[in-house]
Amino acid sequence: MQSSLTLSIGLPVALIIIMLGLGLSLRIEDFTRVLSRPWPIVVGLGCQVIILPALCFGLVYLADLPPAISVGMMLLAASPGGTSAAIYTHLARGDLALSLMLAAITSVIALCSLPIIVNLSVMAFYGEASQVRLEIHQVLQIFVVAIVPALIGVFINSRYPA
């Protein structure tokens, strides 16, 4: 009971606090700079939505993994980035605004791409058709835990820079 409560409440709260802290290191100008140069966004989206799932498919196919693991790997490869991607970007001194922008865009794209990729994976590895649906609340969780707290941090930083 305690571990379930920790995972369902404690982990999201900790992630929200982390993303708020990361947002405090950003300014609105960081996002306008990212939007003024759309090429990195296009490249990132292509890598996240097309190349990563294709590369994962090739690896699990060549490794001849069991179907359940293969579909699970494809699910992970097709999932949008979020909190951990932003943390790693910050630690690597990368472009955090670009990382958050990609997380937001891929979360919206995942509404269509994730069910397609998972359904194709089930057909490829199990040999049978399936109907996997993605509920909107699952994608909204990424926004609530990762994007919204970071944007609140950006707002606080813009209002009270000290």
Side-chain angles (χ1 to χ4, degrees):
M1 174 71 183
Q2 183 181 1
S3 67
S4 174
L5 185 64
T6 302
L7 284 176
S8 63
I9 306 252
L11 184 60
V13 168
L15 293 174
I16 287 170
I17 292 169
I18 290 169
M19 292 309 295
L20 179 66
L22 289 175
L24 287 171
S25 69
L26 292 170
R27 299 181 321 268
I28 294 173
E29 295 82 28
D30 295 326
F31 291 98
T32 57
R33 177 187 43 79
V34 168
L35 289 174
S36 70
R37 298 178 319 154
W39 185 243
I41 294 174
V42 171
V43 170
L45 288 174
C47 289
Q48 177 73 34
V49 176
I50 298 168
I51 294 174
L52 184 61
L55 186 62
C56 181
F57 181 83
L59 289 173
V60 297
Y61 183 78
L62 290 174
D64 198 28
L65 297 173
I69 293 175
S70 297
V71 172
M73 292 290 291
M74 290 300 298
L75 178 63
L76 288 174
S79 296
T83 309
S84 58
I87 292 169
Y88 289 133
T89 301
H90 178 73
L91 292 174
R93 300 193 195 317
D95 192 341
L96 187 57
L98 176 62
S99 177
L100 290 173
M101 186 88 56
L102 284 171
I105 294 169
T106 56
S107 296
V108 172
I109 292 173
L111 287 171
C112 297
S113 66
L114 198 59
I116 291 169
I117 290 171
V118 172
N119 285 329
L120 290 174
S121 299
V122 169
M123 284 189 333
F125 296 114
Y126 280 104
E128 59 189 50
S130 87
Q131 188 76 23
V132 175
R133 293 183 319 198
L134 183 63
E135 302 294 328
I136 188 82
H137 75 276
Q138 293 167 319
V139 174
L140 289 176
Q141 287 175 347
I142 296 171
F143 276 93
V144 170
V145 171
I147 308 301
V148 172
L151 292 177
I152 291 171
V154 171
F155 176 75
I156 291 170
N157 187 19
S158 71
R159 295 283 298 207
Y160 309 103

